[in-house]
């Protein structure tokens, strides 16, 4: 693909995203939306730096300071780039009153209490008729449904994680430390073209594998104990997420059993999840298998999470999730069983909802 074609595609997908966003803004009866969440900025404008995006029916304004001005011009052609010097309360009220907006949505999960206070004070002091409306998650909802161009990149990132896992798998033997394996995986990922790693790689062996978010230690791998590896790659901003649990030599009876239960739980979710379901119904498919095997208390996290520009995004698949599933969503299915003091098993694949059913993207051997 030539750069011009790629750029043309980027621009048309950006137009389509803005069209959908404007529809949501209108539905929420807002005049405009203020956005600063980095992945949201990138999704809507292509801009990868830090700044503020203001989207209204007519405007697409990207406000950045001196450090990012040139980058914004290059990455976000078609956006009105304005240079800002002060904090939000210093420049936003004047701009908003010039544009005649009265209801401005903002990412309530990102704007700090302090900046909100100062912004409100500046609006009052200038006697501007502007209401700040908490509006978190609007762009995140759009991001949860992937377009074909996004799926291409996510699939590449998934392939890269598969390949790095399989290559690193060969160096895993008794005596090698968790940290050495983690570094080897990171090296392979970077050599194969990953943009760094989207999250710190987990290599947890023996009792450490009972900690779902363990950090790699100096502990050497021993024969017969579980080794839990959780890793991902990033391509053009898009992430992948993959977990495998392996045993060197023979696993003991308990671990053979829990491995089979986790695998069955995952298969049940992969086969049974449909785009008509809620995220908590999908979670239930896997959880029931683990509950029935008697390990319900040892599966203390949700079934999975959306993956895209962020490694954790909508939808959230868990018992208490209120998200609904839909075609175009990409998420992980990662049931696990963790036995304190002994170790744990987690198996994680990424899948996309297509024509109502799941298609698994991860190919690494289980
Ligand atoms: Zn994950």
């Amino acid at each position: 693909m030539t750069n011009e074609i790629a750029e043309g595609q980027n621009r048309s997908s950006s137009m389509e995203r803005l069209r959908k966003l404007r529809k949501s803004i209108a539905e929420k009866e807002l005049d405009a939306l203020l956005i600063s969440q980095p992945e949201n900025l990138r999704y809507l404008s292509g801009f990868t730096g830090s700044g503020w995006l203001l989207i209204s029916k007519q405007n697409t304004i990207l406000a950045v300071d001196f450090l990012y001005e040139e980058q914004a011009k290059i990455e976000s052609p078609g956006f009105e780039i304005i240079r800002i010097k002060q904090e939000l309360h210093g420049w936003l009220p004047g701009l908003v009153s010039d544009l005649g907006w009265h209801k401005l949505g903002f990412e309530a999960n990102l704007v700090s209490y302090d900046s909100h206070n100062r912004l409100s004070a500046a609006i009052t002091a200038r006697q501007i008729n502007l209401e700040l409306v908490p509006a978190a998650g609007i762009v995140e909802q759009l991001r949860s449904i992937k377009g074909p161009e996004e799926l291409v990149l996510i699939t590449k990132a998934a392939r890269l994680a598969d390949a790095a896992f399989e290559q690193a798998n060969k160096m895993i033997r008794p005596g090698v430390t968790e940290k050495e394996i983690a570094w080897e995986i990171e090296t392979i990922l970077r050599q194969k073209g990953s943009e760094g790693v989207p999250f710190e790689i987990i290599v947890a062996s023996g009792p450490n594998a009972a900690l779902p978010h363990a950090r790699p230690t100096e502990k050497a791998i021993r024969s017969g104990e579980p080794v839990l590896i959780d890793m991902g790659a990033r391509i053009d901003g898009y992430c992948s997420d993959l977990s495998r649990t392996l045993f060197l030599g023979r696993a003991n009876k308990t671990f053979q059993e829990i491995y089979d239960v986790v695998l069955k739980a995952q298969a049940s979710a992969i086969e049974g999840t449909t785009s008509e379901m809620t995220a908590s119904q999908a979670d239930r498919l896997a959880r029931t298998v683990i509950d029935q095997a008697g390990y319900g208390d040892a599966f203390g996290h949700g079934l999975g999470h959306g993956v895209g520009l962020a490694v954790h995004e909508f939808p959230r698949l868990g018992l208490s999730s209120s998200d609904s599933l839909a075609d175009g969503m990409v998420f992980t299915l990662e049931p696990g069983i963790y036995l304190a003091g002994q170790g744990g098993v987690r198996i994680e694949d990424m899948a996309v909802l297509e024509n109502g059913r799941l298609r698994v993207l991860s190919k690494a051997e289980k």
Side-chain angles (χ1 to χ4, degrees):
M1 190 158 52
T2 71
N3 276 342
E4 271 153 53
I5 296 173
E7 228 159 71
Q9 282 182 354
N10 285 343
R11 213 161 299 164
S12 68
S13 56
S14 165
M15 301 266 281
E16 177 62 11
R17 292 170 193 177
L18 287 172
R19 191 188 62 76
K20 286 184 182 154
L21 178 63
R22 285 182 165 126
K23 199 169 158 241
S24 306
I25 291 173
E27 279 164 8
K28 300 223 158 21
E29 297 180 332
L30 300 170
D31 292 320
L33 184 64
L34 174 70
I35 300 149
S36 69
Q37 204 278 338
E39 284 90 24
N40 289 347
L41 288 186
R42 183 169 188 166
Y43 181 74
L44 295 167
S45 70
F47 178 58
T48 60
S50 100
W52 300 90
L53 193 57
L54 282 151
I55 307 292
S56 73
K57 212 170 176 185
Q58 270 91 30
N59 306 87
T60 45
I61 298 170
L62 182 53
V64 294
D65 69 14
F66 168 78
L67 290 174
Y68 289 105
E69 200 176 0
E70 281 313 303
Q71 184 183 338
K73 284 181 191 161
I74 294 164
E75 291 180 336
S76 309
F79 284 70
E80 185 187 345
I81 315 287
I82 62 169
R83 195 208 283 194
I84 51 173
K85 288 199 187 94
Q86 314 107 317
E87 287 175 65
L88 205 53
H89 64 275
W91 59 270
L92 188 67
L95 181 74
V96 166
S97 87
D98 287 349
L99 292 165
W101 296 338
H102 300 299
K103 276 182 108 174
L104 178 65
F106 71 100
E107 296 169 306
N109 52 335
L110 276 145
V111 173
S112 72
Y113 181 71
D114 188 49
S115 1
H116 184 268
N117 273 351
R118 291 208 261 173
L119 185 56
S120 301
I123 291 166
T124 309
R126 298 179 64 147
Q127 297 187 314
I128 296 169
N129 171 17
L130 176 70
E131 187 189 343
L132 295 172
V133 184
I138 296 183
V139 186
E140 284 84 348
Q141 287 293 352
L142 298 180
R143 275 172 43 203
S144 70
I145 310 284
K146 270 67 183 180
E149 72 290 352
E150 297 182 280
L151 201 53
V152 168
L153 297 172
I154 292 171
T155 305
K156 274 190 192 168
R159 293 270 171 287
L160 191 50
D162 289 338
F165 173 78
E166 282 180 352
Q167 196 175 322
N169 201 356
K170 294 181 191 131
M171 59 91 64
I172 302 174
R173 56 183 181 274
V176 179
T177 70
E178 293 170 354
K179 274 188 176 174
E180 284 168 340
I181 297 168
W183 182 243
E184 179 71 12
I185 293 172
E186 183 158 344
T187 307
I188 297 168
L189 283 168
R190 286 174 182 266
Q191 279 169 346
K192 289 182 180 293
S194 180
E195 298 161 349
V197 286
F199 56 91
E200 218 185 309
I201 295 165
I202 296 172
V203 178
S205 62
N208 295 346
L211 316 172
H213 277 172
R215 285 169 162 246
T217 70
E218 304 287 355
K219 180 186 170 303
I221 311 289
R222 284 195 304 252
S223 181
E225 61 183 13
V227 184
L228 197 162
I229 295 175
D230 189 344
M231 53 174 287
R234 177 173 260 146
I235 299 283
D236 271 351
Y238 284 85
C239 307
S240 59
D241 195 357
L242 172 77
S243 300
R244 289 290 181 265
T245 307
L246 36 105
F247 300 88
L248 298 180
R250 272 184 81 81
N252 69 33
K253 259 212 158 111
T254 308
F255 278 105
Q256 282 182 20
E257 183 188 321
I258 67 170
Y259 191 92
D260 288 342
V261 173
V262 172
L263 195 59
K264 246 183 235 153
Q266 197 204 33
S268 154
I270 290 170
E271 284 153 25
T273 299
T274 72
S275 50
E276 308 300 313
M277 284 182 173
T278 63
S280 73
Q281 285 171 322
D283 177 278
R284 182 58 72 191
L285 291 172
R287 197 165 301 277
T288 305
V289 175
I290 294 176
D291 279 347
Q292 282 171 355
Y295 292 102
D297 290 340
F299 176 26
H301 58 73
L303 173 64
H305 52 86
V307 184
L309 286 169
V311 75
H312 292 114
E313 55 180 53
F314 284 174
R316 194 176 63 81
L317 290 89
L319 262 186
S320 62
S321 173
S322 55
D323 297 342
S324 302
L325 300 181
D327 274 347
M329 286 182 168
V330 173
F331 49 83
T332 66
L333 299 116
E334 48 179 312
I337 294 177
Y338 309 91
L339 305 177
Q342 299 180 64
V345 171
R346 176 165 70 248
I347 307 171
E348 174 181 32
D349 285 329
M350 284 170 64
V352 56
L353 265 174
E354 272 174 355
N355 305 316
R357 306 308 290 257
L358 281 176
R359 176 166 66 85
V360 177
L361 300 172
S362 311
K363 305 280 183 220
E365 199 188 328
K366 292 177 200 173

